[in-house]
Amino acid sequence: GENVEQHPSTLSVQEGDSAVIKCTYSDSASNYFPWYKQELGKGPQLIIDIRSNVGEKKDQRIAVTLNKTAKHFSLHITETQPEDSAVYFCAACSEGNNNDMRFGAGTRLTVKP
Amino acid sequence: DTAVSQTPKYLVTQMGNDKSIKCEQNLGHDTMYWYKQDSKKFLKIMFSYNNKELIINETVPNRFSPKSPDKAHLNLHINSLELGDSAVYFCASSLGTSGMRVETQYFGPGTRLLVL
């Protein structure tokens, strides 16, 4: 089955700096890669996702890149703000697999003002 | 106009008790899920139902029994609660799994279960 690894487990940056979180996956059939943000006491919220037919997707300060050959994908947050502080999860899923999504272990991002 | 809602938000109970957690979605989705998030924040799928039919059943103790009275509701009943069941339980929903395309999952706010 799919195995998703996520690094780093914790990340601390200064406000305004960029943050990068990386994930690798094992199942070459995976073709859907969402990123979720979980704030304290809340459920995970989708912030961006990418499908395997594209290599990059951007939404304002957030971007995701995908390298299918190397089986890794990354989340990039530019101009970080204190409200970006949260736990971020990557996930991977393949078509025809009943939407069985496998999550990374999470990255706790702290943005210092 | 909450999309995926869960009740209760907090649940504190004694070992050995039986408890239920309820989940409802008003998104018109066909598929619903239960996840367990442990103290290290690891998210692991437990069950999923598509249009009231069980489609994913991970290695979960028989004490956990999901019930889907209709496609907008997926409840989780836990018998004989154990200390190790303490965790945050999240419900999620997605458009469906009948097609080949993977659909985005939307999560509820979670139920924090503490077994004493």
Side-chain angles (χ1 to χ4, degrees), chain B residues 1-14:
Chain B
D1 60 343
T2 307
V4 182
S5 59
Q6 296 178 228
T7 53
K9 186 170 182 179
Y10 299 96
L11 184 52
V12 181
T13 188
Q14 297 286 333

Side-chain angles (χ1 to χ4, degrees), chain A residues 31-32 36 38 41-46 49 51 89 93-96 98-103 105 108, chain B residues 9 33 35 37 41-43 45 55-56 58 90 94 96-97 100-105 107-109 112:
Chain A
N31 58 2
Y32 174 67
Y36 287 85
Q38 186 178 18
K42 296 184 179 179
Q45 298 295 306
L46 180 77
D49 57 8
R51 295 185 188 266
F89 292 94
C93 192
S94 59
E95 289 176 352
N98 293 322
N99 258 24
D100 188 355
M101 196 124 65
R102 298 292 158 155
F103 284 81
R108 184 176 298 279
Chain B
K9 186 170 182 179
Y33 311 78
Y35 285 85
Q37 186 174 49
K41 294 289 189 182
F42 191 67
L43 267 168
I45 192 164
I55 54 170
I56 295 177
E58 289 292 301
F90 288 101
S94 69
T97 61
M100 290 296 289
R101 176 184 163 96
V102 178
E103 299 293 348
T104 302
Q105 294 184 26
F107 284 78
R112 285 136 192 88

Side-chain angles (χ1 to χ4, degrees), chain A residues 39-106:
Chain A
E39 295 175 321
L40 193 62
K42 296 184 179 179
Q45 298 295 306
L46 180 77
I47 54 171
I48 195 166
D49 57 8
I50 191 168
R51 295 185 188 266
S52 60
N53 55 342
V54 296
E56 185 174 358
K57 186 175 177 181
K58 201 170 181 180
D59 183 4
Q60 298 182 353
R61 297 187 295 109
I62 295 172
V64 56
T65 58
L66 171 64
N67 183 329
K68 282 219 75 175
T69 306
K71 289 192 275 188
H72 67 69
F73 57 112
S74 301
L75 177 72
H76 304 253
I77 307 174
T78 58
E79 300 171 34
T80 53
Q81 301 165 4
E83 48 267 39
D84 293 330
S85 297
V87 179
Y88 290 81
F89 292 94
C90 64
C93 192
S94 59
E95 289 176 352
N97 197 24
N98 293 322
N99 258 24
D100 188 355
M101 196 124 65
R102 298 292 158 155
F103 284 81

Side-chain angles (χ1 to χ4, degrees), chain B residues 47-61:
Chain B
F47 303 100
S48 79
Y49 270 71
N50 184 57
N51 215 359
K52 302 197 299 173
E53 182 182 336
L54 180 67
I55 54 170
I56 295 177
N57 185 354
E58 289 292 301
T59 308
V60 176

